[in-house]
Amino acid sequence: MIPIGGLGTRLYPLTVDTSKPMVRFLNNFLIDFTLSELAYRGINEVFLGVSGFYNYRDVYDHLGERFRIKIEGENKIIKIRYQPNEDSIGNAHSVKIMVDYYDISDDVLIIQGDTVASINVNNLYKYHQSSEAFMTIVLKEITDPEKLKQFGVAKVDENMKIENFIEKPSNPKELPSRLVNTGIYVLSKDFVKFLRSSEFNEMLKQGKGDFGKDVIPYLISKKYKVMGYVSNGYWFDVGTLDSFMEASYYLLNNIEKERLDVETTYKNVYMQGKSKRSKNDHIELIEKIATNKVQFEGKNLIGRHVKIGENVKMFSSVVDNYTVIKGENEIRNSIIMDRSLIENGAIVEKSIIGRHVKIGENVKIINSHLGNNVIIGDETQIINSSIWPHRTIESKSIISDKKII
């Protein structure tokens, strides 16, 4: 089950007009990346805890009732089911609604809608069964003190039973561990019964329906067996713009190119697209690189039907499908989403550019985030700022440290 609720405010402006699972991620949709990981791990049925208009409409219109992916030459299908049209007050409540509606009484794997992770489901489930846990929580070791402040940090005993969580600690030096709650859980059959109990219904009446904030502290306080399982794979909570970019670059540099749907590789450039047209685009780009008409450094991901003009310099960036980058541009450590247009002479650095954005000539965008369908006039500078979707910025504007809402 994947609870998909909330407004995704930490990812604004990308999610102002878009469901968080439907944000473009490595030239695909975020939900597709999550589902493909589950498909690789053998999962064949997923329940989506959609809540709210955007969350349901966008996800259902994209996925329907089947998710299809080719793994090692064979078609893999995941059956998709959805939370019924009932409001939920938290991700645990969302799970309860689905187990009731679909009459589920088995063990359940939970992964959050804004989680990007490598999950060894078999090892996790074997651990869960052998420990006879009421609930198993996947933990991840984090060494960066500043990042530790963003999560719940587990205190565990010698058997990995979780004694409590310290939420968003102000002083990481005094913590009992560096293990944080990833939001990935295995719920036992007894836990599913608990969701149907008067005990949990009483919590819901008090407005307590969230795993991390309400349910897990309650279970620990009542001495339920809540176990910790330490994951050695990658894990990112991509609910913030910084972590979204961090996850994108980490995966681009560390996972196999097949998982990125890469068809052609030339030096440090990964190119997507399998059609005849795409292959011609790949040849054209390779010729430009070979003759030094364009320059690439670091690892770069180029989507389908992307056009890149001459004298473009690109450093460690992601460019999505049908994007046009004209000449004399410099793109550094940035993500350009699909169907965007960048006119001549622009500099884009450490920024995220949303879908269908038009950037005029000689524009400078540094450490900023643009929502979908934004238009930026010529000779504009945008520094340390965010532009909400569907906004038009006049030519020669200077925007610094602002939100244009």
Side-chain angles (χ1 to χ4, degrees), residues 110-128:
I110 307 293
I111 180 170
Q112 306 306 314
D114 53 7
T115 293
V116 171
S118 174
I119 312 162
N120 192 320
V121 174
N122 288 334
N123 288 351
L124 168 60
Y125 190 50
K126 286 176 183 176
Y127 175 86
H128 172 77

Side-chain angles (χ1 to χ4, degrees), residues 41 53 79 90 148 194 224 267 269 286 355-356 404:
R41 299 298 184 175
F53 174 66
K79 186 175 183 179
L148 280 169
F194 167 81
Y224 285 92
K267 294 185 176 179
V269 183
I286 289 169
R355 309 179 70 182
H356 208 266
I404 306 299

Side-chain angles (χ1 to χ4, degrees), residues 59-163:
V59 174
Y60 185 85
D61 288 354
H62 169 58
L63 291 175
E65 297 178 359
R66 297 286 188 276
F67 174 76
R68 294 173 174 82
I69 185 173
K70 186 166 285 189
I71 299 176
E72 295 179 351
E74 294 187 7
N75 290 322
K76 169 81 174 179
I77 296 176
I78 291 182
K79 186 175 183 179
I80 306 292
R81 297 186 179 183
Y82 296 85
Q83 179 178 324
N85 192 9
E86 297 181 36
D87 292 331
S88 55
I89 58 171
N91 51 18
H93 187 206
S94 174
V95 170
K96 172 185 167 53
I97 290 170
M98 289 189 288
V99 298
D100 285 348
Y101 187 81
Y102 293 105
D103 194 25
I104 293 169
S105 57
D106 298 320
D107 295 350
V108 176
L109 172 68
I110 307 293
I111 180 170
Q112 306 306 314
D114 53 7
T115 293
V116 171
S118 174
I119 312 162
N120 192 320
V121 174
N122 288 334
N123 288 351
L124 168 60
Y125 190 50
K126 286 176 183 176
Y127 175 86
H128 172 77
Q129 288 181 308
S130 65
S131 64
E132 298 181 339
F134 188 76
M135 176 186 194
T136 299
I137 299 175
V138 176
L139 306 173
K140 180 67 179 174
E141 184 174 17
I142 291 181
T143 55
D144 185 339
E146 290 306 310
K147 287 186 179 179
L148 280 169
K149 294 179 182 180
Q150 303 171 26
F151 302 105
V153 180
K155 181 181 179 182
V156 296
D157 68 13
E158 64 275 11
N159 297 314
M160 289 303 293
K161 184 178 179 182
I162 297 176
E163 297 178 335

Side-chain angles (χ1 to χ4, degrees), residues 24 27 272 277 281 284-285 288 301-309 312 314 317-326 329 331 334-343 348 353-359:
R24 299 292 290 177
N27 299 352
Q272 298 170 315
R277 173 62 186 268
D281 289 340
E284 181 181 325
L285 183 56
K288 287 182 178 178
L301 182 64
I302 307 299
R304 296 181 291 110
H305 307 297
V306 170
K307 287 296 182 185
I308 298 178
V312 169
M314 191 170 297
S317 293
V318 177
V319 181
D320 205 346
N321 306 333
Y322 294 97
T323 288
V324 176
I325 299 175
K326 295 193 176 179
N329 291 303
I331 314 294
S334 293
I335 297 170
I336 316 295
M337 294 184 181
D338 60 316
R339 250 183 155 77
S340 291
L341 169 64
I342 303 179
E343 296 283 3
V348 180
I353 308 300
R355 309 179 70 182
H356 208 266
V357 170
K358 295 182 179 179
I359 296 174

Side-chain angles (χ1 to χ4, degrees), residues 45-294:
E45 187 170 27
V46 170
F47 297 77
L48 298 180
V50 289
S51 177
F53 174 66
Y54 280 137
N55 284 329
Y56 173 73
R57 183 202 66 182
D58 291 357
V59 174
Y60 185 85
D61 288 354
H62 169 58
L63 291 175
E65 297 178 359
R66 297 286 188 276
F67 174 76
R68 294 173 174 82
I69 185 173
K70 186 166 285 189
I71 299 176
E72 295 179 351
E74 294 187 7
N75 290 322
K76 169 81 174 179
I77 296 176
I78 291 182
K79 186 175 183 179
I80 306 292
R81 297 186 179 183
Y82 296 85
Q83 179 178 324
N85 192 9
E86 297 181 36
D87 292 331
S88 55
I89 58 171
N91 51 18
H93 187 206
S94 174
V95 170
K96 172 185 167 53
I97 290 170
M98 289 189 288
V99 298
D100 285 348
Y101 187 81
Y102 293 105
D103 194 25
I104 293 169
S105 57
D106 298 320
D107 295 350
V108 176
L109 172 68
I110 307 293
I111 180 170
Q112 306 306 314
D114 53 7
T115 293
V116 171
S118 174
I119 312 162
N120 192 320
V121 174
N122 288 334
N123 288 351
L124 168 60
Y125 190 50
K126 286 176 183 176
Y127 175 86
H128 172 77
Q129 288 181 308
S130 65
S131 64
E132 298 181 339
F134 188 76
M135 176 186 194
T136 299
I137 299 175
V138 176
L139 306 173
K140 180 67 179 174
E141 184 174 17
I142 291 181
T143 55
D144 185 339
E146 290 306 310
K147 287 186 179 179
L148 280 169
K149 294 179 182 180
Q150 303 171 26
F151 302 105
V153 180
K155 181 181 179 182
V156 296
D157 68 13
E158 64 275 11
N159 297 314
M160 289 303 293
K161 184 178 179 182
I162 297 176
E163 297 178 335
N164 69 287
F165 277 97
I166 300 169
E167 291 296 329
K168 298 182 179 179
S170 58
N171 188 357
K173 292 182 180 179
E174 299 177 359
L175 289 172
S177 78
R178 294 289 188 267
L179 300 173
V180 304
N181 179 2
T182 65
I184 302 170
Y185 313 129
V186 180
L187 312 182
S188 66
K189 297 178 180 68
D190 287 338
F191 192 112
V192 174
K193 289 179 183 177
F194 167 81
L195 292 175
R196 296 188 169 108
S197 68
S198 58
E199 196 175 1
F200 185 59
N201 285 329
E202 189 59 36
M203 292 180 67
L204 293 177
K205 289 177 183 177
Q206 299 172 28
K208 298 178 178 180
D210 184 79
F211 278 115
K213 187 170 65 173
D214 306 311
V215 177
I216 293 170
Y218 176 83
L219 295 177
I220 292 172
S221 71
K222 296 296 182 180
K223 307 302 181 183
Y224 285 92
K225 193 173 186 181
V226 180
M227 297 296 294
Y229 172 88
V230 180
S231 171
N232 294 319
Y234 62 79
W235 169 77
F236 297 93
D237 168 6
V238 294
T240 68
L241 294 164
D242 286 343
S243 61
F244 182 89
M245 294 190 78
E246 182 184 3
S248 298
Y249 294 134
Y250 175 88
L251 293 171
L252 177 58
N253 283 283
N254 288 281
I255 66 172
E256 57 273 21
K257 63 182 181 179
E258 289 77 16
R259 293 293 304 277
L260 297 171
D261 295 325
V262 171
E263 189 67 19
T264 303
T265 304
Y266 182 74
K267 294 185 176 179
N268 50 4
V269 183
Y270 281 6
M271 290 165 267
Q272 298 170 315
K274 298 178 181 180
S275 69
K276 183 177 179 181
R277 173 62 186 268
S278 292
K279 295 294 181 63
N280 289 336
D281 289 340
H282 298 169
I283 292 169
E284 181 181 325
L285 183 56
I286 289 169
E287 288 176 347
K288 287 182 178 178
I289 298 170
T291 56
N292 211 33
K293 291 179 180 177
V294 296

